[in-house]
Amino acid sequence: MSGIGRNSGSGETREGEANDEERAGGGRGDEVWVLGATGRVGRGVCARLVAQGMTVVPVGRDRERLIAAGTEAGLPSGAKVVVADGAERIAREITRQRPRVVVNTIGGYAATGPLIARACMPGGHYVDQANDLLAVEGLLGLHDEAVRAGSTLVTGAGFGVLATEAVVAKLCEGRPAPHRVRVDSVASSAMEAGVLGVALADSIADVLTAGGRRYEGGRLVRSRLGARPRRLVFPDGESAAAGEVASGELLAAHAASGAPSVTAASALAPTSAPVRALLPLLGRLLSVPALRRLAVDRLGRVTVKAAPRPRRHSWGHAVVEWADGTRREGWLRADEAMDFTSGVTATVTALLADGAGRPGAWTPAGALGADIATKAGGAFLLD
C-alpha cells in the first residue's frame, strides 16, 4: 500500500511525544491504531494489517496484554503500544498523536463511536463494527461534519451491516428504487471460551430495549422484536429461522435501495411465540438505567464454553421487489462470521489508509462499493 509503511518499533507511547505540527492539527503519520486490540476482532484485524506491512499500533488498557497481542499479530519486539483506559482518554491521545486511521473494536458504539470519530478529525479516518440502530444512526449523523473535515468515517464494517447491504446494492444496480426490501442476516460464529464481556452484554441490552423497527411509507416505525419470523433455506441446503430486529442493517438497506418499505431480520432474534410475548416487558425493565446496569454487569460476567460454529457458512440475504411485479433475490456467502468481520474491517481500513473512500460518514458499501464484500472473502449468489 503506497500510503503505509512498516512498523517503526517505537515502544510505548508517552505524554509529550507529539511534535508541534501534530499538536497544531498538521500532517498525519502513517499509523493505524486498533482499539481493543486484545479482543477477538481486534487481534484478527491487527494480524491482517501487519501482514500487509502497515504500521499497526495496538491500543488498550493492559500493557502486557497489548504487547502479547502485538507479538501474536506479528509486530516486532518493542513495537509501539498505546495504554489508555476509557474512550475519553483514548480520544485525547488520538487528538494529540494523530494516527491516519483508527479502528474501534471496543464496543458501546453509540457512546464511543462519535467521541472517537470526532477525535480523528480533521483528516483522519475512522472504522467500527457497530450494528445496533442507534449506534449506526449516530455515526452517520456526523456526515456533514466529516465532509467539512475531509475525514471518512465507516460504521458497520463487519458481517453485520455489510453482508446484507452489499446484496441489496447488487440487486438494485442500474434499476430504479424498488417498492419493498427484506434482508436477513444469519451469522455462524464459533464461541471462544471465557466471559461474555460487557461489550457484548451491552449490545444485547440495546437490542432488547430498542425492540423492533421497520420502514413503512419511507418512515421508520416501531414493530415487535422477532416479528414476522420465517425459516430460510440456504443455497447449501442448511436452514435457520429469522425475525425482525432494529439494526444497522435496516438503515443500510433503506439507504442502498431507496425503497419506502424495508424490513431487516436476524437469526439472533427470538422467533418462538412464547419468548416473543415476553420481550416487550423485558425491554421496559431494561430501559430503567439501574436495572440495565445491573443486567449488563451480570450478563457480562457469564462464563461461556468454547463451541464450534453452528453452520458451515454465514449468510446475508435480500429480496427486492418493484412495483411492476419484478422480484430479485440474492445471497452473500461468508465463512465464520467473526473472521469475516475482521476481514471486512481490515480491508476497509487498508483502503482508507491508502486514500480510497470519500469524505463523510458511511456504511461500508456506501463508502467503497458493494464489492468490498468479495474483497473481504465473501461470495455473491444472485438470481
Side-chain angles (χ1 to χ4, degrees), residues 13 24 48 68 102 107 118 160 198 302 337:
T13 186
R48 285 169 168 83
V102 172
R118 282 195 169 102
V198 173
V302 170

Side-chain angles (χ1 to χ4, degrees), residues 40 187-193 305-310 336-339:
R40 181 175 175 186
S188 182
S189 296
M191 183 68 71
E192 287 188 336
K305 296 180 179 179
R309 59 187 178 189
E336 205 278 341
M338 296 293 280
D339 287 344

Side-chain angles (χ1 to χ4, degrees), residues 154-169:
V154 179
T155 187
F159 179 82
V161 176
L162 180 61
T164 55
E165 173 194 31
V167 180
V168 172

Side-chain angles (χ1 to χ4, degrees), residues 191-262:
M191 183 68 71
E192 287 188 336
V195 295
L196 193 66
V198 173
L200 181 54
D202 196 57
S203 296
I204 293 171
D206 284 339
V207 170
L208 292 173
T209 54
R213 297 287 192 281
R214 67 167 69 103
Y215 279 96
E216 291 182 358
R219 296 176 59 243
L220 198 59
V221 300
R222 286 185 175 274
S223 66
R224 279 204 170 197
L225 179 62
R228 302 183 188 182
R230 69 176 178 181
R231 179 156 290 274
L232 300 165
V233 178
F234 311 127
D236 64 359
E238 294 187 302
S239 67
E244 288 186 19
V245 292
S247 68
E249 287 145 339
L250 179 64
L251 298 177
H254 181 255
S257 66
S261 176
V262 183

Side-chain angles (χ1 to χ4, degrees), residues 57 187 200 234 276 285 307 357 371 378:
V57 178
L200 181 54
F234 311 127
R276 286 191 288 120
L285 291 173
D371 287 334

Side-chain angles (χ1 to χ4, degrees), residues 224-227 229 269-280:
R224 279 204 170 197
L225 179 62
T271 56
S272 70
V275 174
R276 286 191 288 120
L278 294 173
L279 291 176

Side-chain angles (χ1 to χ4, degrees), residues 127-151:
V127 184
D128 71 31
Q129 304 82 40
N131 192 25
D132 63 277
L133 188 145
L134 291 178
V136 173
E137 189 174 46
L139 204 286
L140 295 178
L142 301 181
H143 180 77
D144 291 343
E145 190 174 339
V147 169
R148 291 192 296 269
S151 294

